[in-house]
Amino acid sequence: MIRYFTAGESHGPALSAIVEGMPAGIFVTPEEINKQLARRQQGHGRGGRMKIETDKAEILSGIRFGKTIGSPISMVIRNRDWENWTTTMSQFEKPDKTCAKITIPRPGHADLAGRIKYGFDDIRPVIERSSARETAARVAAGTLSRVFLKALGIEIGSYISAIGSAAESSPDKQLALLLREGAEAVATQADLSPVRMLQKTTEAQALAAIDAASERGDTLGGIIEIFITGVPPGFGSYVQHDRRLDAALAAAIISIQAIKGVEIGTAFENAGKPGSEVHDEFYLSREEGVFRKTNRSGGLEGSMSSGQTIHLRAAMKPISSLVTPLQSFDIETLQPTPSRFERSDTCAVPAAGVVTEAVLAPVIANALLEKLGGDHLDEIRQRLDLYRENLRKTFRA
Ligand code: EPS
């Protein structure tokens, strides 16, 4: 069972992650982790922090001669910005008079609920840990599972289908062709766009929308399309609530900062249609065995993988730190006051797509380990090859 924890404040010395339960024998390079961290920093509409940081992971344990050894893997991502925050975020010195308390919560962020929960008289500690900065550590941690899955022919990729009102007309044949290569082909193609979109017309509309939002001191959210290819049928289980794969996948996505909606396949569209226009009917052929001509279920049936491409959709709310203030109040004076601006992004939807890929990898890796077990990549690969071989012989017309 793969588990991970992250630690670190946005403006503290560093972020860190500990990943427990990775099987042994997986080839890991800092370059692969740093490639994913670099992907997370991209995107038109990212804020000033991305000009300060060049996120890189320092691996401190769990790897020998380039391969995992089954023990916990710990990593650190230094915050270059820390040198500008050593007073405000001092660990042991007492706050000096230059360290102004934050007493005006940002509507939409963790500020007010966090202050109430912990009873702080200064909202700074809430801002620091609730920041989307933490997702850098999650990308580092999730990349280990991503590499493990890739070695077994399972790939994860995403692209952005909407930013603000700029939304693609419908997934076109380009997406189908990319998915035939594997989900990473979708991510690679999306990465060529400054907003990680596949359609040039939608990209142009999104770039204009982001610039217009920035001009008026506003922010934008959007929709992320996530795909997982190569997952055989039968991962997850319907027998207990905490073994349902769709629930675990949805929970991982919803746990990302600013993600407020998750959809499996075209669930909300399906909800408005009769079953006869929704359920993916079964067909048989000698070459493919059982196949379907549609995938409205998003590759998940009865909370198990169906063997089709897993397709999830995520809705990201517009970032909560606006240059143009919203109505707020001062928690000390209880006087109405405009919200304060905390440096941020105009739009971080492209980056959030990279984060969704990283947080889903451990979920799929755990579903694979639950189904097949194993402590070393070679042992697990043998078991998966046998499972796939048996599937190839099943339901052959
Ligand atoms: C982010 C780091 C943060 C924010 C942003 C994303 O850095 P800083 O607070 O120093 O500017 O820019 O965080 C948010 C959008 C948020 O709402 O918390 C990052 O590394 O992704």
Side-chain angles (χ1 to χ4, degrees):
M1 177 81 177
I2 296 165
R3 295 174 298 156
Y4 71 90
F5 292 96
T6 70
E9 284 68 43
S10 179
H11 303 109
L15 299 171
S16 56
I18 292 185
V19 183
E20 150 64 29
M22 288 306 303
I26 302 166
F27 183 62
V28 173
T29 63
E31 290 73 23
E32 179 56 34
I33 297 172
N34 295 337
K35 175 184 134 191
Q36 298 303 329
L37 289 173
R39 291 182 68 217
R40 192 201 71 96
Q41 290 199 242
Q42 304 309 311
H44 189 73
R46 285 295 245 152
R49 182 67 183 274
M50 296 302 108
K51 296 185 176 62
I52 298 169
E53 305 296 347
T54 307
D55 292 337
K56 294 206 183 316
E58 212 179 313
I59 301 176
L60 304 177
S61 68
I63 308 273
R64 182 169 185 262
F65 302 150
K67 292 196 174 183
T68 54
I69 51 176
S71 39
I73 299 163
S74 53
M75 295 181 272
V76 165
I77 299 166
R78 305 271 168 203
N79 286 322
R80 280 194 185 152
D81 204 15
W82 158 241
E83 63 187 16
N84 304 313
W85 293 76
T86 52
T87 305
T88 303
M89 286 300 291
S90 165
Q91 290 168 298
F92 304 108
E93 303 299 319
K94 288 274 173 289
D96 68 18
K97 54 187 175 312
T98 64
C99 183
K101 281 196 292 194
I102 308 291
T103 59
I104 303 168
R106 295 167 294 175
H109 219 302
D111 300 9
L112 183 58
R115 180 259 170 254
I116 293 167
K117 177 181 177 68
Y118 289 98
F120 295 132
D121 63 357
D122 174 6
I123 299 176
R124 174 56 60 190
V126 180
I127 294 173
E128 288 297 316
R129 183 59 189 164
S130 64
S131 167
R133 177 74 191 146
E134 184 266 345
T135 62
R138 284 214 256 176
V139 165
T143 298
L144 296 170
S145 291
R146 182 195 191 106
V147 166
F148 167 48
L149 293 172
K150 180 73 186 291
L152 298 170
I154 297 173
E155 297 181 10
I156 306 178
S158 71
Y159 78 95
I160 306 306
S161 60
I163 286 180
S165 57
E168 72 176 8
S169 47
S170 66
D172 56 14
K173 53 183 179 304
Q174 178 195 17
L175 176 60
L177 286 173
L178 289 168
L179 281 172
R180 218 166 285 158
E181 289 174 56
E184 282 201 6
V186 175
T188 304
Q189 181 64 35
D191 289 352
L192 300 175
S193 160
V195 286
R196 300 200 65 245
M197 287 182 159
L198 297 182
Q199 296 180 2
K200 280 293 173 204
T201 46
T202 320
E203 175 191 289
Q205 292 162 4
L207 290 170
I210 292 168
D211 292 343
S214 177
E215 279 295 303
R216 58 176 195 274
D218 213 332
T219 59
L220 289 180
I223 294 177
I224 304 159
E225 308 285 342
I226 311 132
F227 302 91
I228 309 172
T229 51
V231 180
F235 283 12
S237 175
Y238 56 86
V239 300
Q240 198 53 257
H241 64 90
D242 61 353
R243 294 177 59 186
R244 298 180 77 94
L245 183 55
D246 47 4
L249 293 166
I253 295 179
I254 277 280
S255 76
I256 299 167
Q257 287 81 335
I259 299 293
K260 305 307 282 185
V262 180
E263 187 176 15
I264 292 172
T266 50
F268 285 92
E269 185 185 320
N270 297 348
K273 292 181 176 175
S276 55
E277 293 175 24
V278 170
H279 302 306
D280 303 312
E281 295 174 277
F282 299 132
Y283 299 88
L284 279 167
S285 81
R286 189 173 300 285
E287 307 71 46
E288 291 188 66
V290 175
F291 69 96
R292 302 161 179 85
K293 295 177 181 173
T294 54
N295 185 19
R296 300 184 195 102
S297 67
L300 292 156
E301 288 170 333
S303 76
M304 296 167 286
S305 55
S306 69
Q308 290 189 279
T309 296
I310 292 176
H311 174 210
L312 306 164
R313 311 183 75 230
M316 182 178 191
K317 72 180 183 184
I319 302 283
S320 311
S321 306
L322 273 70
V323 176
T324 302
L326 296 174
Q327 183 56 49
S328 185
F329 74 104
D330 188 310
I331 59 173
E332 263 182 0
T333 65
L334 297 184
Q335 289 305 307
T337 177
S339 59
R340 60 177 284 281
F341 178 65
E342 173 88 8
R343 180 183 63 195
S344 180
D345 308 290
T346 301
C347 175
V349 180
V354 176
V355 179
T356 63
E357 297 170 15
V359 303
L360 291 174
V363 176
I364 296 294
N366 278 329
L368 182 150
L369 291 171
E370 185 203 35
K371 176 74 185 143
L372 301 171
D375 294 299
H376 189 287
L377 175 62
D378 296 344
E379 176 188 27
I380 297 165
R381 180 183 283 116
Q382 278 174 356
R383 296 181 184 191
L384 181 57
D385 289 349
L386 179 62
Y387 186 63
R388 283 173 167 155
E389 183 51 31
N390 289 338
L391 283 169
R392 271 191 285 276
K393 294 176 192 156
T394 315
F395 306 124
R396 277 280 177 272

